[in-house]
């Protein structure tokens, strides 16, 4: 294995799994390593001993689709169950809401124009995660808008430019790296072996430190006494409602990536 | 005063009129079925569909209880005529995965599949077709989880991948050249595009 890690896959839609295997190079997995089912159920049954489980070094939680995330997999109860499946110093990487940045060149910073970092949804995700995982660091994956000279000499940013050309808005994810451990999270620098001969990996992984988000920006202006109001629970979970507006915006953006004929032919 | 012999014939003529209308429509049915029908492709798609006008090919289209439809499509490379005419639009040479109204991601194809060292494509699909880097950089960031310093990082490790599989950074955690998402490679000039057909894995 290229990185010496044994993986277990959970995917609700067998059609997506089949497409991944057939057209996108997903290698074969042992049958007991592929679970076509709802992730919430998978985690809950193992957390409660109904099914056997192993403890994982890493959990990659990336469920964004169609402009939103499944809200029931961002609640306190879900993270409490998931935490039982993770080693004491294991890492949970959570891809949160896609937000839309516009780069303001003069400020060399990102202005989050559609879903501010201090939006209710972002705050709720972060605050709820922190209730279970004491250590979390947050990153985005927007690439800087390249200037003309940069474009001439570095095609690695080509796709970023393409996305930026769509009305200067680039979809970006927030990635929360969290651990049950109380030890602060420290990243080693990326090395050549991490890139696996991929320009994309080289570009994204080598520039990770430049894309960290200070949690203070997420919690800006929020009194600590108000944090409890942002904890997502199975009983109280407005995440879906908050995302409804973003879903339409995401759809509009997707229609800019490819012309209409690609959306009308299926 | 009306009697039974002079009852108005309206009811009978209405029924007859409906029947006439139905029979009149019958010859038109083949035309209607051909031209006014579901414009979507047959599902599951049995043969790849090539669009007659647009640079578009649909490799797979299936119904999904979760997304409505899961589609694998390609934006095909520009023709030589289009290149010479300067009529090249981006993106092209790209394979994408669509679920419902969401473009989940994709990989570069054709001339855009190569490794940094120029030794060949980054990977292959199950049919041996070369595929390249992701069209989105988003999903690679997750791989940085491996960079987090932990005590026993040298031992055999395990990972749980909870995905919509469009975002599976398979190379992060599995064996084989399984990168889902590629990025356009730098113009290498080492691997000639004319040889790309030789890259198909046997």
């Amino acid at each position: 294995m290229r990185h010496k890690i044994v993986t277990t896959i959970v995917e609700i839609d067998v059609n997506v799994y089949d497409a991944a295997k057939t057209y996108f190079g997903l290698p074969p997995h042992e049958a007991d390593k592929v679970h076509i089912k709802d992730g919430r159920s998978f985690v809950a049954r193992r957390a409660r001993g109904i099914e056997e489980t192993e403890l994982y070094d890493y959990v990659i939680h990336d469920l964004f689709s169609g402009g939103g995330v499944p809200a029931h997999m961002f609640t306190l109860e879900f993270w409490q169950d998931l935490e039982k499946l993770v080693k004491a110093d294991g890492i949970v990487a959570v891809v949160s809401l896609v937000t839309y940045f516009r780069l303001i060149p003069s400020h060399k910073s990102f202005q989050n124009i559609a879903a501010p970092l201090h939006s209710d949804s972002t705050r709720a995700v972060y605050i709820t995660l922190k209730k279970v995982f004491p250590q979390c660091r947050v990153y985005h994956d927007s690439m800087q808008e390249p200037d003309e000279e940069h474009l001439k000499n570095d095609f690695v940013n080509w796709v970023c430019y393409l996305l930026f050309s769509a009305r200067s808005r680039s979809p970006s994810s927030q990635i929360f790296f969290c651990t049950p451990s109380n030890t602060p999270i420290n990243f080693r620098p990326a090395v050549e072996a991490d890139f696996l001969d991929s320009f994309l990996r080289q570009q994204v992984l080598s520039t990770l430190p430049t894309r960290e988000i200070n949690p203070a920006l997420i919690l800006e202006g929020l009194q600590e006494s108000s944090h409890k109001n942002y904890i997502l629970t199975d009983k109280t979970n407005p995440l879906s409602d908050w995302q409804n507006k973003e879903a339409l915006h995401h759809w509009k953006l997707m229609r800019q990536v490819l012309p209409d004929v690609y959306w009308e032919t299926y | 005063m009306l009697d039974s012999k002079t009852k108005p014939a309206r009811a009978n003529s209405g029924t007859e009129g409906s029947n006439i209308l139905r029979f009149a429509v019958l010859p038109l049915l083949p035309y209607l079925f051909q031209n006014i029908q579901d414009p979507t492709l047959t599902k599951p798609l049995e043969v790849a569909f090539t669009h007659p006008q647009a640079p578009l090919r649909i490799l797979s289209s299936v119904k999904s209880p979760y997304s409505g439809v899961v589609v694998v499509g390609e934006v095909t490379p520009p023709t030589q005529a289009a290149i010479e005419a300067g009529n090249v639009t981006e993106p092209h040479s790209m394979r994408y995965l669509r679920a419902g109204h969401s473009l989940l991601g994709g990989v570069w194809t054709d001339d855009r599949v190569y490794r940094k060292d120029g030794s060949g494509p980054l990977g292959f699909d199950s049919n041996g077709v070369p595929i390249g880097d992701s069209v989105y950089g988003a999903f690679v960031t997750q791989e940085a989880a491996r960079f987090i310093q932990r005590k026993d990082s040298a031992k055999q490790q395990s990972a749980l991948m909870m995905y919509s599989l469009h975002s599976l950074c398979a190379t992060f955690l599995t064996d084989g050249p399984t990168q889902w998402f590629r990025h356009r490679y730098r113009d290498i000039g080492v691997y000639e595009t004319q040889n790309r057909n030789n890259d198909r894995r046997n």
Side-chain angles (χ1 to χ4, degrees):
Chain A
M1 298 180 185
R2 303 190 74 173
H3 290 308
K4 298 184 175 65
I5 302 176
V6 177
T7 62
T8 300
I9 295 172
V10 181
E11 163 61 54
I12 195 171
D13 193 338
V14 67
N15 298 297
V16 173
Y17 175 69
D18 289 342
K21 283 192 306 179
T22 306
Y23 299 104
F24 294 92
L26 181 66
H29 281 66
E30 298 292 330
D32 63 343
K33 296 297 184 186
V34 178
H35 302 269
I36 305 298
K37 59 180 60 176
D38 173 53
R40 179 73 189 256
S41 171
F42 175 92
V43 170
R45 292 177 67 82
R46 283 156 180 78
R48 293 159 200 183
I50 299 174
E51 295 185 25
E52 290 186 4
T53 188
E54 58 184 298
L55 294 182
Y56 297 99
D57 295 273
Y58 305 101
V59 176
I60 308 298
H61 181 283
D62 182 357
L63 305 170
F64 180 84
S65 178
V69 296
H72 68 293
M73 293 182 70
F74 281 79
T75 65
L76 180 69
E77 292 86 345
F78 173 77
W79 297 128
Q80 289 171 335
D81 280 345
L82 185 65
E83 191 263 348
K84 295 182 175 69
L85 275 56
V86 180
K87 289 182 179 177
D89 66 342
I91 305 298
V92 178
V94 179
V95 178
S96 182
L97 313 157
V98 170
T99 57
Y100 301 93
F101 291 92
R102 174 182 292 143
L103 178 65
I104 304 174
S106 61
H107 295 285
K108 299 296 181 186
S109 65
F110 288 104
Q111 179 188 38
N112 188 324
I113 57 173
L117 285 173
H118 50 79
S119 68
D120 288 337
S121 50
T122 304
R123 284 173 164 172
V125 169
Y126 178 73
I127 290 173
T128 307
L129 275 169
K130 285 285 287 181
K131 289 293 292 182
V132 178
F133 302 103
Q135 299 292 330
C136 287
R137 291 179 72 170
V138 191
Y139 293 81
H140 67 81
D141 52 33
S142 258
M143 307 300 286
Q144 282 191 337
E145 182 179 14
D147 57 29
E148 188 175 341
E149 192 61 33
H150 197 53
L151 275 178
K152 288 177 183 176
N153 297 315
D154 187 356
F155 288 104
V156 173
N157 279 321
W158 179 83
V159 167
C160 305
Y161 176 76
L162 181 68
L163 293 173
F164 268 92
S165 68
R167 299 186 180 179
S168 299
R169 296 184 180 190
S170 173
S172 170
S173 301
Q174 297 157 5
I175 301 99
F176 299 81
F177 294 98
C178 298
T179 179
S181 170
N182 288 310
T183 304
I185 292 174
N186 286 311
F187 289 86
R188 63 163 174 83
V191 296
E192 189 66 34
D194 296 318
F195 306 147
L196 301 173
D197 253 333
S198 159
F199 281 111
L200 176 64
R201 283 185 169 76
Q202 178 181 22
Q203 175 70 9
V204 172
L205 297 177
S206 63
T207 59
L208 181 70
T210 65
R211 294 197 301 282
E212 185 164 11
I213 299 173
N214 187 339
L217 293 176
I218 299 174
L219 302 175
E220 189 176 33
L222 188 65
Q223 298 293 327
E224 190 160 345
S225 59
S226 301
H227 287 195
K228 62 180 183 300
N229 300 327
Y230 286 86
I231 297 174
L232 302 170
T233 65
D234 288 343
K235 186 178 179 181
T236 307
N237 189 354
L239 191 59
S240 292
D241 293 336
W242 292 335
Q243 292 181 99
N244 282 342
K245 298 177 186 176
E246 284 308 304
L248 180 59
H249 182 77
H250 181 82
W251 171 226
K252 290 179 179 177
L253 187 64
M254 289 295 100
R255 292 296 292 245
Q256 296 173 11
V257 175
L258 292 176
D260 290 346
V261 65
Y262 294 91
W263 297 103
E264 295 163 0
T265 307
Y266 60 95
Chain B
M1 182 178 290
L2 294 175
D3 59 24
S4 61
K5 293 183 182 179
T6 58
K7 279 184 184 176
R10 181 177 302 168
N12 288 338
S13 64
T15 302
E16 290 175 357
S18 296
N19 288 334
I20 291 172
L21 184 62
R22 291 189 188 105
F23 284 116
V25 169
L26 274 176
L28 299 176
L29 285 180
Y31 171 81
L32 291 173
F33 277 121
Q34 184 176 356
N35 295 283
I36 307 176
Q37 60 181 333
D38 187 346
T40 63
L41 302 172
T42 303
K43 298 174 182 57
L45 190 66
E46 296 180 359
V47 178
F49 169 78
T50 301
H51 197 283
Q53 286 95 33
L56 163 63
R57 184 164 59 231
I58 301 296
L59 303 179
S60 172
S61 180
V62 296
K63 291 183 180 178
S64 165
Y66 302 102
S67 311
V69 64
V70 174
V71 178
V72 178
E74 288 188 338
V75 186
T76 54
T79 63
Q80 190 61 36
I83 294 172
E84 291 172 356
N87 186 24
V88 177
T89 57
E90 296 289 356
H92 66 78
S93 305
M94 182 183 91
R95 178 179 292 178
Y96 62 87
L97 176 62
R98 170 186 173 180
H101 66 277
S102 184
L103 184 64
L104 303 184
V107 296
W108 298 112
T109 60
D110 296 277
D111 289 349
R112 299 178 165 183
V113 301
Y114 298 107
R115 308 164 68 94
K116 284 175 54 183
D117 61 11
S119 63
L122 271 168
F124 301 88
D125 71 6
S126 67
N127 297 310
V129 176
I131 52 178
D133 232 332
S134 172
V135 300
Y136 287 159
F139 311 119
V140 173
T141 305
Q142 304 158 13
E143 298 186 14
R146 294 180 43 253
F147 302 172
I148 295 174
Q149 294 167 339
R150 299 171 61 226
K151 288 183 180 178
D152 297 325
S153 57
K155 295 181 181 178
Q156 177 72 64
Q157 297 177 319
S158 62
L160 177 63
M161 317 282 285
M162 306 186 68
Y163 274 113
S164 292
L165 272 179
H166 61 285
S167 56
L168 178 62
C169 292
T171 308
F172 164 42
L173 293 170
T174 65
D175 42 344
T178 58
Q179 300 94 337
W180 255 65
F181 299 111
R182 275 47 169 188
H183 194 287
R184 185 185 179 187
Y185 65 101
R186 188 184 296 272
D187 186 9
I188 294 173
V190 172
Y191 201 89
E192 296 295 333
T193 58
Q194 293 88 333
N195 292 331
R196 64 180 180 272
N197 289 332
N198 296 329
D199 293 332
R200 288 178 179 268
R201 201 163 50 181
N202 296 322

